[in-house]
Amino acid sequence: MQLDARIPSGPIEAAWDKARFNMKLVNPANKRKHSIIVVGSGLAGASAAATLGELGYRVSCFCFQDSPRRAHSIAAQGGINAAKNYQNDGDSIYRLFYDTVKGGDFRSREANVYRLAQISVNIIDQCVAQGVPFAREYGGTLTNRSFGGAQVSRTFYARGQTGQQLLLGAYQALERQVQAGTVTMYPRTEMLDLIVIDDHARGIVTRNLVTGEIDTHLADAVILGTGGYGNVYYLSTNAKGSNVTAIWRAHKKGALFANPCFTQIHPTCIPVSGDYQSKLTLMSESLRNDGRIWVPRKKGDKRAPDEIPEEDRDYYLERRYPSFGNLVPRDVASRNAKYVCDEGRGVGETGLGVYLDFADAIQRLGRKAIEDRYGNLFEMYQRITDEDPYKVPMRIYPAIHYTMGGLWVDYYLMSTIPGLFVVGEANFSDHGANRLGASALMQGLSDGYFIVPYTVGDYLATNKLERVDESHFEIRNAVACVEQTVQKLLSIKGRRTVDSFHRELGKIVWEYCGMSRTAQGLENAIQQIRQLRDEYWQNVNVPGSGEDFNQSLEKAGRVADFFELAELMCIDALERNESCGGHFREEYQTAEGEAQRDDDNYSYVAAWGYRGYGNPPDLVKEPLDFEYVHPAQRSYK
Amino acid sequence: MRLTLKIWRQQTRSASGKFVTYSVDNVNSDMSMLECLDVLNEQLIENGDDPVAFEHDCREGICGSCGFMINGIAHGPLPATTVCQLTMRHFRDGQELVLEPWRAKAFPLIKDLVVDRRSFDRIIAAGGYISVSTGSAPDGNAILVPKESADRAMDAAACIGCGACVAACPNASAALFTGAKIAHLGILPQGKPERDIRAIRMVTQMNAEGFGGCTNIGECIGVCPKEIPLEVIAAMNRDYFRGSWRERDNVVTTLRPFTEWSTGSKLKVDPHSGN
C-alpha cells in the first residue's frame, strides 16, 4: 500500500488557497440532500457539526455523554495560540509554523502545520464573535501571554478555563443548528462500529446507552472527532469516559493508525495517593517559573522536607541542566523525575513524587507576589492534598495528558477509508512527536471550523455514492458483530472487575511504554499485555444486561479496545529505533542523556494496518520532507 | 475510616425506588466522593450485585457531569465544590451519608443517581448563542470589550451546567442556569443585537420544560460550584421584561418551544405563563 498525503504542490504559503480553489463545490440546493455523521462533540466535532449544519447539510452528531457540552475539551486550562502578532513582538504565521514543526521534533507534515498557523488567526476572530470572554486589556483589546517557553506572546486565554469557554462557544453554535433543524443530536449514544460499503465509509453502528438498543445510522460521509487515547494508561489527566473505541473500530475496518507511540507526558501533576485513585489532576506548568524541584540526596530519606538540610537535597534539574534549570521542556523534566524516583529517592507515601518548593521564591518575592501569581493553583492543590504549599513543598509527578498519534489522515483530513474523516486529537496530523502548549485547542477548532467543512464538500462533489439501505449485508454484519461482542462480554461472568483489568493494563503501559522505553521492556510489555488480554476474555465480570443503562458494560467494551491499542503502541515504539519528542528510547540518547533522533532512517510517519488479532500489523511509511524548517538537535544544557 | 452510605436505588424511570444502606470500610481521607463510590461499586460487583449508577467524566470539577445530594445538600457540604472534588476528609469516621439524585420534574431520572438534563440543552438551543456562522467574523480586535465587561461576562460564563441550582431550589427553578447564559451574552457588545429575543426565547423554553419560577430565595447560589452570582437572575428578568415589551407583536405570540426532541412531539405553551 502506498500512502498519498495529497499535499498541494508549489510554495507552502499558497498551498491551502490552491487546494481550496481546486475543490469541487456542492450546489447549495443539493447540500440538504447529503447526510453527514459527526461522532464526538468536543472542539473538533462540535465545530465541524455546527459549520456543516450552517452550510445546509443534514448532520447527525453523536456523543456518549449526557450533553455535547461535557466533552473533554472543556478541561483545557492554558489557552489557544494564534499568530495575530497583536503584541507587536515579532510573531508571524511563519514563526508559529516554525515553532510547531521544531517543537514536534521534526515528525509532523510541514504543509499541515503551515495551514494550521494560517488558520489560527481566523479561529480567534470566530470565537470572539461568538462571545467567548477572552481576557482583555483596559482599552478593550485582547490580551495575550507567553506560554510553554514560547518567546512571543501569542496565547489567548479566558482565565484558567479557555477550553471550557471555547467548547461552550462551539456547543452554542451546535445548539443553534439543532434549533434550526440542520443538526440532530444523539447524546448518550456510543459508536461501536463503522459501516464500510464498497470501500467507502457509509455509516456507524451505535448503542443507546440508556436503553441498550443497537442502531445503524447511514450517511454519505463520517467524521470522527472522538479525542485521544491517553486513558490506555488508566491513570491520566483525561476524563474518565475518554476512549479509543471509535477510532480503534474504524482502524479494524481498514483505517491506518499513525504513530501510536507518540504520547505526551506532563511533568506537573498531583501524584497518585493510593490504589483507589481514579484520575490525575494537572497543575499548570507555569509553577516551574518560581518553584525549585528537588528530592533527598539519599535513598529512602523519610524525614519531613523542612527537616532535610540544604546539603542533603538534590536540585537535580538545576544540577544537570545549569542553563535551563527547572524550565527544561516537558519531556526532559518528566523523564528526570522518573529517574530519581526509580533510584528510590522519590517523596510522599508512594515514593512516586518530587518536591516543587516555593520557599526561596516566597522569601525573595514575598508571599503576596506568589499569591498573585499562583493563588488559584495553590488553592486547588490544597483542596486535593490537604497540604498548604505556602508552608510545605508541593509534591508533583508526571502524568499522561495528550496523545499525538491517531488515525492517519491526508492533507484533506481523510483517512485511508474514503469518506471517513478524522479531526482533532483523534487524528495524528499536526503535532509530530510532541505537542506545544496551547496548540491542541487551535488544532481542534482549525480542523472543525475551517478545514473539514471544505474537504467533506469536495469529497461529496467528486464521489457518486450508491444509495444503501439497512438490509445491505455489510450493515447486517456490522450489527451482528457489535451484538456478539456485547453478549460475549456479558456472558463471561468471571471473577475480576473491568476496572481491575484496566488498572493493571495501565501499569504495564506506563512502566514500559511511558516516559522512557527500551527494546527489552517493550517486548516484555507485549507479552504481558497479551496474557492479560487473554485473561480478560476469560475472567472479566460485567454485571447486568445489555438492555439498560449499564456503565460497567460501556467500560468493558472500551477496555477491550485499549488492550489491542496498547499492543500496537508497544510495537510502534519498538519499531522506532530512535528517540524523538515524547518517544524516548534509552538506547538512543546523546552523551548528555538527551533524545537522539535518527533522521536518516526514521524521518517518516509510521502508519499501521490491522490484519486481525494475533497477526502482526502492516507498517506503511509516509516519508517526511523538510523543505522549510531544517532538522536540528535540541539542547538545554 | 468507615462510612455508611444510604443511597437511592432505582432501576429505571418507571420503576419505584428506595434507599439501600451500604457500609464502606476502607475509606481513605484523600479519596474523592466519587472514588469512594468506585470502591463501593468494586465491592458490589465482586459480590454479584448491581453497582450504583452515577454520572461523572472529567473528575476535576469542570465538565458538569457529576452531582447528587449529600445529606440534603447539592454537591455536599463544601462550598464551591463538585462531588468529584469533594475529598472524604471532610467527613467523620462512622458518619452516615444520604445520597440522592437531583429531584426535579424537568430532570427525569434515568437510574440511581443519574438524571436526564437535556432540558438544559434545549434552553440553550432556544437562544443561548450569538448567531454568527463560521467565516463571517470581523477581526478579533475590531470589537472592543471593556475589561470590566469581559470579567463580568466570564463570571457568568463559568457555569458548568451541572444542575445543582435546580436541585437546591424549593421551586426547582432553572433561573440561575438560564440567567447565567443571558447575562454572559447580554453583557458583551457582540451579544447586544439579540439581547431581547434571546431572553424571551430562553425564558419561554425554561418555563415550557417544567422548571418552577424563581422566588428569589437564593438557595441556588449557596450550592453553585462555580459561584455564579445571583445578579444573573436580575439580568434575566430585566432582559425578559424589556424584550417582551419591545418584541411583543413580532415574536412572543409565535413562539412554540420544543419539549421532547427524542419523541418528536411538540408541546404548545402559552409564552406568557410563568415567570
Side-chain angles (χ1 to χ4, degrees):
Chain A
M1 184 179 191
Q2 201 70 9
L3 284 173
D4 179 8
R6 295 198 286 162
I7 299 165
S9 58
I12 201 165
E13 295 85 353
W16 180 229
D17 269 352
K18 185 177 168 188
R20 278 192 297 175
F21 180 71
N22 288 333
M23 283 181 206
K24 298 277 179 292
L25 301 174
V26 179
N27 180 318
N30 285 337
K31 283 186 177 141
R32 68 187 158 75
K33 294 182 188 159
H34 288 290
S35 54
I36 298 168
I37 284 171
V38 179
V39 186
S41 65
L43 285 179
S47 59
T51 305
L52 289 162
E54 287 161 7
L55 290 171
Y57 295 106
R58 278 188 293 123
V59 181
S60 302
C61 182
F62 297 80
C63 69
F64 68 80
Q65 298 94 339
D66 71 320
S67 160
R69 67 179 292 154
R70 313 272 185 228
H72 188 55
S73 310
I74 205 148
Q77 300 169 357
I80 177 166
N81 286 332
K84 281 284 197 185
N85 194 29
Y86 281 159
Q87 304 308 321
N88 197 28
D89 56 1
D91 199 11
S92 63
I93 286 168
Y94 201 92
R95 190 177 292 281
L96 177 55
F97 156 66
Y98 179 92
D99 287 354
T100 308
V101 171
K102 184 171 170 226
D105 218 359
F106 303 95
R107 291 293 173 266
S108 53
R109 202 187 277 149
E110 278 190 328
N112 281 53
V113 179
Y114 194 88
R115 175 178 62 186
L116 177 67
Q118 280 177 308
I119 290 174
S120 69
V121 300
N122 304 106
I123 297 171
I124 298 304
D125 299 343
Q126 185 63 32
C127 295
V128 166
Q130 287 172 344
V132 170
F134 284 120
R136 299 273 170 171
E137 303 290 349
Y138 282 100
T141 53
L142 291 154
T143 189
N144 295 106
R145 61 183 169 201
S146 149
F147 196 79
Q151 287 171 307
V152 291
S153 289
R154 62 160 76 101
T155 304
F156 295 77
Y157 61 100
R159 294 198 186 140
Q161 293 126 276
T162 317
Q164 180 198 27
Q165 293 310 314
L166 296 175
L167 182 66
L168 293 181
Y171 158 73
Q172 288 161 204
L174 176 67
E175 292 295 346
R176 174 171 163 246
Q177 292 311 304
V178 169
Q179 187 79 347
T182 60
V183 177
T184 308
M185 190 66 220
Y186 295 85
R188 295 193 197 274
T189 308
E190 182 168 25
M191 168 182 162
L192 292 182
D193 210 351
L194 180 74
I195 295 169
V196 181
I197 293 173
D198 299 332
D199 299 324
H200 287 67
R202 295 303 304 272
I204 60 173
V205 182
T206 60
R207 179 168 180 273
N208 179 320
L209 299 182
V210 178
T211 65
E213 273 167 274
I214 310 274
D215 285 317
T216 53
H217 301 267
L218 302 179
D220 300 329
V222 176
I223 301 171
L224 302 183
T226 52
Y229 49 87
N231 273 344
V232 66
Y233 293 87
Y234 186 71
L235 288 180
S236 82
T237 64
N238 283 9
K240 292 293 285 176
S242 301
N243 67 80
V244 77
T245 289
I247 58 171
W248 189 256
R249 300 204 179 170
H251 170 60
K252 290 169 88 164
K253 279 289 170 80
L256 298 194
F257 204 118
N259 300 336
C261 81
F262 286 171
T263 56
Q264 187 173 66
I265 288 159
H266 199 288
T268 53
C269 299
I270 299 178
V272 177
S273 62
D275 278 344
Y276 54 80
Q277 185 111 12
S278 60
K279 81 153 273 166
L280 297 170
T281 304
L282 189 82
M283 303 284 291
S284 169
E285 225 174 343
S286 61
L287 290 168
R288 289 199 281 144
N289 290 338
D290 285 304
R292 294 181 71 194
I293 294 174
W294 65 275
V295 290
R297 201 170 284 283
K298 283 197 280 302
K299 247 164 97 159
D301 189 339
K302 288 285 165 210
R303 287 180 288 178
D306 58 341
E307 289 166 8
I308 300 179
E310 210 54 38
E311 63 270 19
D312 288 348
R313 298 177 177 195
D314 180 12
Y315 295 88
Y316 58 89
L317 287 179
E318 296 172 21
R319 174 168 59 78
R320 288 182 196 161
Y321 307 93
S323 65
F324 275 71
N326 296 299
L327 291 173
V328 291
R330 287 177 179 180
D331 53 336
V332 180
S334 299
R335 231 168 15 246
N336 279 281
K338 176 183 160 50
Y339 292 152
V340 295
C341 292
D342 287 351
E343 290 163 22
R345 299 195 288 144
V347 301
E349 235 172 88
T350 58
L352 292 175
V354 298
Y355 288 127
L356 178 61
D357 197 337
F358 289 86
D360 286 356
I362 291 172
Q363 203 170 24
R364 191 174 72 245
L365 305 162
R367 182 181 160 123
K368 177 79 179 62
I370 295 299
E371 229 173 83
D372 287 347
R373 282 181 203 176
Y374 311 111
N376 57 338
L377 293 167
F378 278 34
E379 189 204 303
M380 179 168 92
Y381 180 83
Q382 185 160 15
R383 182 192 287 272
I384 294 174
T385 63
D386 203 26
E387 286 174 0
D388 180 1
Y390 292 104
K391 296 181 181 138
V392 186
M394 280 186 179
R395 286 173 296 113
I396 54 164
Y397 200 65
I400 282 285
H401 92 128
Y402 190 86
T403 53
M404 282 74 71
L407 291 187
W408 185 89
V409 289
D410 63 15
Y411 186 73
Y412 293 74
L413 303 185
M414 191 160 84
S415 70
T416 48
I417 301 175
L420 178 70
F421 294 79
V422 192
V423 293
E425 192 179 346
N427 72 26
F428 88 104
S429 66
D430 299 351
H431 306 296
N434 176 49
R435 181 180 64 76
L436 292 181
S439 288
L441 304 182
M442 172 171 72
Q443 186 225 332
L445 291 180
S446 163
D447 289 0
Y449 281 132
F450 295 106
I451 301 174
V452 89
Y454 289 97
T455 59
V456 167
D458 178 55
Y459 169 78
L460 296 173
T462 49
N463 282 270
K464 216 168 155 47
L465 298 164
E466 299 285 320
R467 277 191 79 81
V468 287
D469 67 61
E470 314 251 330
S471 62
H472 195 285
F473 75 97
E474 287 285 5
I475 299 174
R476 281 181 301 158
N477 263 355
V479 171
C481 242
V482 166
E483 282 171 347
Q484 221 172 6
T485 310
V486 168
Q487 281 319 314
K488 170 79 180 144
L489 285 166
L490 284 164
S491 67
I492 300 167
K493 296 281 183 260
R495 302 159 66 100
R496 286 182 65 180
T497 63
V498 176
D499 275 353
S500 87
F501 279 104
H502 193 179
R503 208 175 279 124
E504 191 176 337
L505 171 69
K507 279 185 183 154
I508 299 171
V509 189
W510 177 244
E511 183 62 32
Y512 298 109
C513 198
M515 283 183 275
S516 110
R517 303 148 181 195
T518 63
Q520 199 194 355
L522 289 163
E523 277 162 7
N524 190 355
I526 292 169
Q527 292 312 316
Q528 288 188 33
I529 292 165
R530 282 187 189 153
Q531 270 169 22
L532 191 65
R533 179 186 181 274
D534 289 345
E535 192 197 335
Y536 185 75
W537 286 102
Q538 306 283 327
N539 197 26
V540 71
N541 180 5
V542 184
S545 82
E547 278 88 54
D548 57 7
F549 189 77
N550 186 341
Q551 292 172 311
S552 303
L553 178 61
E554 294 169 25
K555 279 193 277 193
R558 294 170 194 164
V559 172
D561 294 331
F562 278 138
F563 274 111
E564 298 181 14
L565 166 76
E567 192 176 323
L568 185 66
M569 284 168 67
C570 294
I571 291 172
D572 184 42
L574 191 58
E575 191 275 337
R576 193 170 278 281
N577 291 312
E578 64 162 351
S579 296
C580 59
H583 169 66
F584 188 82
R585 281 279 300 275
E586 289 178 20
E587 303 94 320
Y588 307 100
Q589 47 183 312
T590 62
E592 296 95 34
E594 299 311 325
Q596 180 130 47
R597 275 198 334 265
D598 179 354
D599 292 329
D600 293 338
N601 295 304
Y602 290 94
S603 186
Y604 59 72
V605 176
W608 300 91
Y610 186 78
R611 292 178 54 238
Y613 185 74
N615 298 320
D618 263 336
L619 172 61
V620 189
K621 296 174 184 175
E622 181 201 336
L624 293 169
D625 293 319
F626 293 91
E627 263 184 75
Y628 296 86
V629 188
H630 294 292
Q633 195 77 40
R634 302 186 305 169
S635 173
Y636 302 99
K637 286 283 167 186
Chain B
M1 58 202 252
R2 179 198 180 113
L3 287 173
T4 304
L5 301 180
K6 201 170 151 187
I7 304 176
W8 183 260
R9 302 303 309 263
Q10 185 173 338
Q11 196 59 32
T12 62
R13 186 176 302 182
S14 51
S16 60
K18 60 170 195 259
F19 280 107
V20 180
T21 304
Y22 304 96
S23 167
V24 188
D25 296 339
N26 42 347
V27 178
N28 182 306
S29 60
D30 286 336
M31 275 180 190
S32 71
M33 185 69 230
L34 298 190
E35 286 168 341
C36 180
L37 286 179
D38 289 341
V39 170
L40 171 66
N41 277 344
E42 292 286 288
Q43 275 173 31
L44 291 175
I45 295 170
E46 277 162 17
N47 295 334
D49 294 326
D50 191 27
V52 179
F54 63 92
E55 197 105 61
H56 66 100
D57 201 22
C58 78
R59 296 204 178 192
E60 49 188 85
I62 192 74
C63 75
S65 296
C66 69
F68 41 78
M69 310 296 277
I70 303 176
N71 293 346
I73 305 172
H75 286 302
L78 208 65
T81 305
T82 52
V83 286
C84 64
Q85 293 206 299
L86 175 65
T87 46
M88 303 312 285
R89 69 180 77 96
H90 300 287
F91 300 107
R92 291 186 319 275
D93 186 27
Q95 199 174 344
E96 179 183 86
L97 306 181
V98 181
L99 311 187
E100 291 174 84
W102 296 159
R103 296 198 193 272
K105 184 180 155 199
F107 288 165
L109 189 130
I110 290 177
K111 186 179 178 184
D112 298 340
L113 303 176
V114 179
V115 297
D116 183 348
R117 289 169 291 192
R118 278 180 295 171
S119 45
F120 270 10
D121 289 334
R122 293 188 289 262
I123 292 174
I124 298 296
Y129 43 75
I130 290 169
S131 300
V132 52
S133 295
T134 304
S136 56
D139 183 84
N141 266 345
I143 311 161
L144 295 178
V145 181
K147 183 174 187 309
E148 197 238 335
S149 303
D151 288 346
R152 276 173 53 226
M154 183 63 218
D155 289 341
C159 169
I160 57 173
C162 64
C165 47
V166 175
C169 177
N171 307 329
S173 165
L176 195 71
F177 169 81
T178 310
K181 191 48 67 189
I182 288 174
H184 158 210
L185 298 175
I187 290 166
L188 295 170
Q190 304 93 300
K192 298 283 190 226
E194 294 169 289
R195 188 173 154 194
D196 295 335
I197 188 67
R198 177 183 307 120
I200 294 169
R201 285 182 185 278
M202 291 180 72
V203 169
T204 306
Q205 184 68 40
M206 175 180 80
N207 292 335
E209 293 289 351
F211 291 105
C214 172
T215 49
N216 297 321
I217 296 167
E219 287 286 336
C220 50
I221 57 165
V223 297
C224 176
K226 297 296 150 185
E227 301 181 300
I228 304 295
L230 201 58
E231 286 83 1
V232 302
I233 299 180
M236 174 183 80
N237 288 335
R238 189 180 59 180
D239 284 5
Y240 179 78
F241 188 64
R242 201 180 92 133
S244 37
W245 202 254
R246 293 184 181 189
E247 307 273 341
R248 181 176 296 266
D249 299 337
N250 312 331
V251 195
V252 178
T253 50
T254 59
L255 270 184
R256 290 288 177 269
F258 294 77
T259 52
E260 272 294 36
W261 293 342
S262 48
T263 61
S265 68
K266 295 169 192 176
L267 184 73
K268 287 182 182 174
V269 293
D270 175 3
H272 296 291
S273 71
N275 206 60

